[in-house]
Amino acid sequence: DAGVTQSPTHLIKTRGQHVTLRCSPISGHKSVSWYQQVLGQGPQFIFQYYEKEERGRGNFPDRFSARQFPNYSSELNVNALLLGDSALYLCASSPPGRSGEQYFGPGTRLTVT
Amino acid sequence: AQKITQTQPGMFVQEKEAVTLDCTYDTSDPSYGLFWYKQPSSGEMIFLIYQGSYDQQNATEGRYSLNFQKARKSANLVISASQLGDSAMYFCAMRERETGANNLFFGTGTRLTVIP
C-alpha cells in the first residue's frame, strides 16, 4: 500500500510570496495533520483535519491555512512568506478509530529567500 | 513548561550494543499516549513504538522497548542489538486526550550514531 505522499519535495520561494503544499493520506485514512519542523527542532503541530473539518490548530499565525478535500487529501497554504517559514513541512494521516497513530509523509522542504 | 524533554542532543553506541534514549514528559491529563519516532536524514518520520498511559506493561516492538515509569514521568526508548541503520534522529512525542485534536507534542530529539 502507498504511504502518505507529499508534493512538492522541495520548494524555493521569496519573502512575501504564498505557497501551497499538498498531501495525500494513506488509503482509508480520514484524518490529516500538518507539522512544521524547523532545522534542529522537533516537529510542531499546525493543523488537524478530519472529514473535511478543522479539528485542531496549533500556535501559528493566520497566514497559515489549510483545507481537506472530499477524497481526504489536504492542502496547506502559507501567505506572506517570511524567512522564518523556512522548514520541513510534514503531513501525517491517521486510521479511523486509531487517531493516536500517525503515519508521516516524506515532507516538503520549503526555503524562503 | 516543555511537554516533552529530551536531554541528550547526541548519543553514540557500538554496533550490537544496547542504548537507552531518555525522555521525560509533563502533563496533567490522566489519559495520554507516548510515542517514539525515528527520522533518518531523508526526513520521513518513522513510527517505532507507542505506550498508553493506562497500559500496565511496557511496550515492545522487535528490538525497541519503552521503559515507562509513570511516577517519574519518563518514557525512555531502549534499542537492543544496535545496527548501523539505526543511526538517525529519534524523537519522543506525546498526545493528550484533553486537547481534543490529534496533535503530537515533540521533543527536540536525540541524534544516535552507531559505531561499527
Side-chain angles (χ1 to χ4, degrees):
Chain A
D1 287 342
V4 176
T5 59
Q6 292 185 244
S7 63
T9 306
H10 295 87
L11 202 53
I12 299 174
K13 290 285 189 178
T14 305
R15 275 178 299 176
Q17 288 187 315
H18 72 272
V19 67
T20 298
L21 310 181
R22 295 177 175 83
C23 171
S24 292
I26 293 172
S27 177
H29 289 193
K30 300 180 179 180
S31 174
V32 170
S33 298
W34 287 94
Y35 292 82
Q36 180 196 64
Q37 186 177 19
V38 174
L39 195 63
Q41 303 284 327
Q44 193 170 356
F45 173 72
I46 311 175
F47 284 112
Q48 187 217 348
Y49 276 78
Y50 180 76
E51 291 277 15
K52 296 172 288 180
E53 290 189 4
E54 182 182 305
R55 288 296 184 91
R57 182 184 182 117
N59 189 23
F60 280 81
D62 292 343
R63 299 184 296 108
F64 288 76
S65 63
R67 56 179 176 167
Q68 188 176 32
F69 298 99
N71 66 353
Y72 304 112
S73 66
S74 178
E75 283 182 355
L76 175 70
N77 295 284
V78 187
N79 293 324
L81 285 167
L82 303 174
L83 295 179
D85 295 332
S86 295
L88 180 68
Y89 287 85
L90 294 163
C91 173
S93 72
S94 302
R98 304 206 305 272
S99 59
E101 296 179 23
Q102 295 197 26
Y103 298 87
F104 285 81
T108 293
R109 185 161 298 282
L110 172 65
T111 302
V112 182
T113 63
Chain B
Q2 292 289 330
K3 288 190 179 286
I4 295 288
T5 302
Q6 294 181 256
T7 58
Q8 306 155 313
M11 289 283 286
F12 291 87
V13 63
Q14 205 75 38
E15 193 178 5
K16 299 180 185 177
E17 297 292 314
V19 63
T20 298
L21 307 184
D22 294 342
C23 172
T24 57
Y25 60 91
D26 183 28
T27 182
S28 57
D29 191 340
S31 179
Y32 53 90
L34 296 159
F35 303 77
W36 277 92
Y37 284 86
K38 172 184 178 181
Q39 188 176 42
S41 56
S42 60
E44 186 170 350
M45 300 288 281
I46 301 169
F47 168 75
L48 296 178
I49 196 166
Y50 165 80
Q51 180 86 40
S53 58
Y54 293 118
D55 293 342
Q56 296 295 316
Q57 307 253 4
N58 285 344
T60 60
E61 288 285 350
R63 295 186 299 111
Y64 305 107
S65 60
L66 200 151
N67 184 2
F68 181 46
Q69 299 189 42
K70 197 169 183 177
R72 293 186 177 185
K73 293 190 174 180
S74 75
N76 298 338
L77 176 70
V78 180
I79 305 175
S80 63
S82 297
Q83 302 172 356
L84 295 179
D86 293 336
S87 293
M89 283 291 290
Y90 287 81
F91 290 95
C92 179
M94 176 175 66
R95 175 179 178 260
E96 296 171 314
R97 184 172 295 278
E98 281 184 358
T99 64
N102 196 28
N103 55 298
L104 295 172
F105 297 95
F106 284 84
T108 52
T110 296
R111 180 171 297 282
L112 177 66
T113 303
V114 180
I115 304 167

